Amino acid sequence: MSNPSHSRLGFARVLLALVLALAPALASAEVRAWLDRDRIELGETVTLNIEVDTGGRPDYGPLAGDFRIEQRSSRQSFELRNGQSVSRTLHAVALQPLRGGVLTVPALAVGGERTAPLTLTVAPASVARPPARGPAFIEAEVDDPSPYVQQAVGLRLRLYYSVQLLSGQLDQPAVDGLGLQRAGSDLQYTREVGGRRFQVVERRYLLIPERSGRIELPAATFRGRGVGGWLDDLFGDGQRALSADGPAIALEVRPVPAAAPRPWLPLHGLQLRWLQAPDAARAGDAFTVELELVADGATAAQLEMPMLAADAGAQVFPEPAQHDETIEDGRPRVRMVRRYSVLPARDGPLRIEAPALGWWDVGANRAREATLPALEVDVAPAAGAVGAGGTRGNVGTGAARGIGTQAADDSGPWVRLPGVQGPVHRWALATVVFALLWLLTLAWGLQWRQRGQAAAGAALDDGIAGAKAVPRARGHGAALRKALDTGDLGEVSAALCALASPPAADLDALSMRVAPGPQRDAIGQLQRARWGQDGDGAAQARAAVRAAFARGADWIDADEGGDALLPPHYPR
């Protein structure tokens, strides 16, 4: 019979192995839910997206209280995670609110996970909604019909269609004096107009007026084909041509007001906020400060994060700003975050300030200023340094600070130097003095060497001027001997040319620079042996060169010239 305790132990091991095997899968299981819009009108639909990486399906039962489910779809994709293929599924469901107000999309169960609850604002249906005209029509609106120059204006195009589309193209022509760019992705939902249900494609643009005055934006156009009725099936190919033209939009652009701050920044709102700031720091150790800027009615290209200013000799090093652009209420909204590294130079109170940003409130038509309270950071002495009263400083000790505080007794291991902030170790002072003496010694040695070289050069020049033959450096003679022993005739020629200073271009040029006699004869014999014109061969040429240049080359003076190969053009 088996021991029960052993059986229980084996079962526990198997269970533990299963838990360890499933732990990565459980840890990586994620579920995420979001709405394509957080504000809609009554009668419209909103799309709820749920993304999971497990095989579970959402339970839509809790939605029945406030929403009607119109359409469902799902899409599966695969991605590599930690070297393994992970399946992800995106579930999308179109929800139509049953009432207005602020509604809560409840948490939904997906397998063993649950989504987070979401908030949706449902506004009353717009009274300016156009009547239904045919199977397709276009609605266009701007958030501000009378903007200022360089003010970002949001444009929304909505294409309504009541038949199933097979193809189509929605275009918005541009116009001079008005910048036009797409913003975000297209939204798709349904809306009830005149008792009929329409599919809606919403496309958003940003308009940037470049001049004041009246600017007319041409009408948007749609051309496409949809599924036809029974008449189209009977007399055609079953398709139906669709076309729609939107309304033209006129903007009355206002110039920059005379009282506006510079640089010109037209906005609906601007906020500054500290995100990260320490309460205490240490001298010599950098810390991080984070600043957030939120602008309503501008893009990131229109803004520039401010530069911080710090007192007490501290240095500020900014990092590149990060930004996130969205479209809210039909106009752009940007959130920018920038981090700054601050390096305190000394202990004591440190004040960090952000400059005030002037902007123009387009809603109130007045100048405003965005400000922030200054940061007060308590900087402790550097590690190992002596603070006020002769005590070593630590962060949070509350030791007194100041430039004029008296440090430890001068008889101790510290000394005071004029113009130096804080006390200094005596061994540090001795190290500096030793380094200065070493540098002085090095400078004196270099100067003495240069003088010696200059004197040697002068003596060498005198020797050349007073003597007809000057011996070459030993290194070149050694190279010639090595080439004569082991090299070919080409290497011997190169070593001979290297004897001259500067080196001779070839053996002919070298022959003109040595004295007439055995050396010129040896060079000529080497040339004939190298090109096969001498029957004596290479051995005799090597021997001749070795004997002629045994004591170096006999150089001639440039003024003497030597034997010319050609007679002078103008004989003397």
Side-chain angles (χ1 to χ4, degrees):
M1 293 180 64
S2 60
N3 192 336
S5 61
H6 290 174
S7 300
R8 290 193 296 270
L9 181 60
F11 176 76
R13 290 177 177 174
V14 173
L15 182 61
L16 179 61
L18 289 175
V19 171
L20 293 177
L22 293 176
L26 294 176
S28 62
E30 295 179 359
V31 57
R32 189 168 65 98
W34 71 95
L35 299 171
D36 65 341
R37 295 177 296 164
D38 57 5
R39 182 183 179 87
I40 64 173
E41 293 184 7
L42 193 62
E44 297 180 358
T45 60
V46 63
T47 302
L48 171 63
N49 300 283
I50 301 176
E51 187 179 51
V52 297
D53 55 5
T54 60
R57 299 184 62 85
D59 179 14
Y60 298 120
L63 298 173
D66 292 324
F67 302 94
R68 181 169 58 246
I69 299 177
E70 293 196 348
Q71 296 178 359
R72 300 182 188 181
S73 64
S74 62
R75 183 180 61 195
Q76 193 173 20
S77 61
F78 296 89
E79 66 177 19
L80 287 178
R81 183 186 301 171
N82 298 328
Q84 297 182 351
S85 179
V86 178
S87 172
R88 304 181 69 86
T89 304
L90 176 63
H91 300 277
V93 56
L95 304 179
Q96 182 181 6
L98 301 178
R99 59 183 178 86
V102 179
L103 305 182
T104 299
V105 179
L108 303 180
V110 185
E113 303 292 328
R114 294 186 67 85
T115 65
L118 304 173
T119 301
L120 175 66
T121 302
V122 182
S126 174
V127 297
R129 187 169 298 169
R133 301 184 304 272
F137 63 94
I138 296 176
E139 180 185 70
E141 64 177 4
V142 292
D143 69 300
D144 192 347
S146 56
Y148 287 94
V149 173
Q150 298 180 1
Q151 176 185 338
V153 181
L155 167 65
R156 284 191 286 188
L157 295 181
R158 297 188 184 95
L159 170 65
Y160 295 79
Y161 57 93
S162 59
V163 297
Q164 183 178 352
L165 283 183
L166 298 176
S167 63
Q169 182 72 30
L170 178 63
D171 293 317
Q172 173 59 67
V175 65
D176 292 338
L178 187 65
L180 176 70
Q181 66 182 57
R182 288 273 299 269
S185 303
D186 292 346
L187 299 176
Q188 297 187 16
Y189 52 91
T190 63
R191 173 181 279 186
E192 184 176 340
V193 180
R196 296 170 56 186
R197 298 296 295 178
F198 283 84
Q199 298 289 327
V200 182
V201 175
E202 181 176 312
R203 181 169 296 177
R204 292 164 292 184
Y205 293 88
L206 287 182
L207 307 177
I208 308 293
E210 299 171 356
R211 59 175 176 83
S212 60
R214 183 181 178 86
I215 301 179
E216 292 189 0
L217 183 66
T221 61
F222 172 75
R223 301 293 183 266
R225 303 190 66 83
V227 177
W230 65 273
L231 289 177
D232 300 296
D233 293 336
L234 183 61
F235 297 103
D237 56 0
Q239 299 183 7
R240 181 178 183 180
L242 298 176
S243 64
D245 295 323
I249 297 177
L251 299 180
E252 297 293 341
V253 184
R254 292 175 286 180
V256 179
R262 297 295 188 274
W264 167 243
L265 189 59
L267 298 171
H268 290 270
L270 182 63
Q271 296 177 351
L272 293 174
R273 183 174 62 138
W274 298 112
L275 291 183
Q276 178 183 347
D279 295 329
R282 188 186 295 276
D285 294 340
F287 60 88
T288 300
V289 174
E290 201 169 54
L291 179 63
E292 178 192 56
L293 182 150
V294 178
D296 182 6
T299 63
Q302 296 176 280
L303 299 173
E304 183 176 356
M305 290 292 289
M307 183 61 189
L308 303 184
D311 61 359
Q315 294 178 294
V316 180
F317 304 95
E319 298 182 8
Q322 307 294 325
H323 67 271
D324 180 23
E325 292 182 331
T326 58
I327 300 294
E328 297 184 12
D329 297 331
R331 59 175 177 262
R333 182 182 177 91
V334 62
R335 176 181 180 268
M336 304 182 71
V337 177
R338 193 174 195 179
R339 303 183 67 183
Y340 306 81
S341 295
V342 183
L343 182 62
R346 56 178 180 266
D347 61 315
L350 175 61
R351 184 181 179 89
I352 303 174
E353 295 181 336
L357 298 182
W359 59 283
W360 184 263
D361 190 339
V362 298
N365 294 324
R366 55 170 296 185
R368 296 189 185 275
E369 202 173 57
T371 59
L372 267 180
L375 290 178
E376 299 287 347
V377 182
D378 187 22
V379 180
V386 172
T391 59
R392 295 183 182 271
N394 293 306
V395 175
T397 56
R401 297 173 176 84
I403 298 178
T405 55
Q406 191 68 23
D409 179 63
D410 288 343
S411 61
W414 305 90
V415 294
R416 280 281 187 178
L417 295 180
V420 177
Q421 174 64 31
V424 180
H425 275 288
R426 289 184 175 179
W427 62 264
L429 180 61
T431 303
V432 173
V433 173
F434 176 78
L436 292 176
L437 292 177
W438 182 82
L439 290 175
L440 291 175
T441 304
L442 178 62
W444 175 82
L446 292 175
Q447 186 178 8
W448 177 84
R449 182 179 179 182
Q450 291 175 354
R451 289 179 178 178
Q453 290 178 348
L460 184 60
D461 293 339
D462 294 341
I464 291 176
K468 189 172 183 179
V470 179
R472 294 292 294 161
R474 294 182 179 179
H476 297 290
L480 177 61
R481 288 193 298 270
K482 183 177 179 180
L484 289 171
D485 294 337
T486 60
D488 56 17
L489 296 184
E491 294 175 352
V492 174
S493 301
L496 274 175
C497 293
L499 293 177
S501 179
D506 51 26
L507 291 179
D508 289 334
L510 179 67
S511 179
M512 296 300 300
R513 296 171 63 176
V514 298
Q519 291 187 348
R520 285 194 180 182
D521 296 339
I523 292 175
Q525 187 175 352
L526 176 62
Q527 286 180 307
R528 291 190 297 272
R530 186 180 180 188
W531 305 115
Q533 300 176 356
D534 192 346
D536 294 339
Q540 289 79 1
R542 291 176 186 270
V545 171
R546 190 187 304 273
F549 289 89
R551 296 184 178 181
D554 294 333
W555 307 106
I556 62 174
D557 227 350
D559 295 334
E560 296 180 3
D563 298 337
L565 296 178
L566 295 175
H569 188 65
Y570 297 100
R572 296 179 180 178

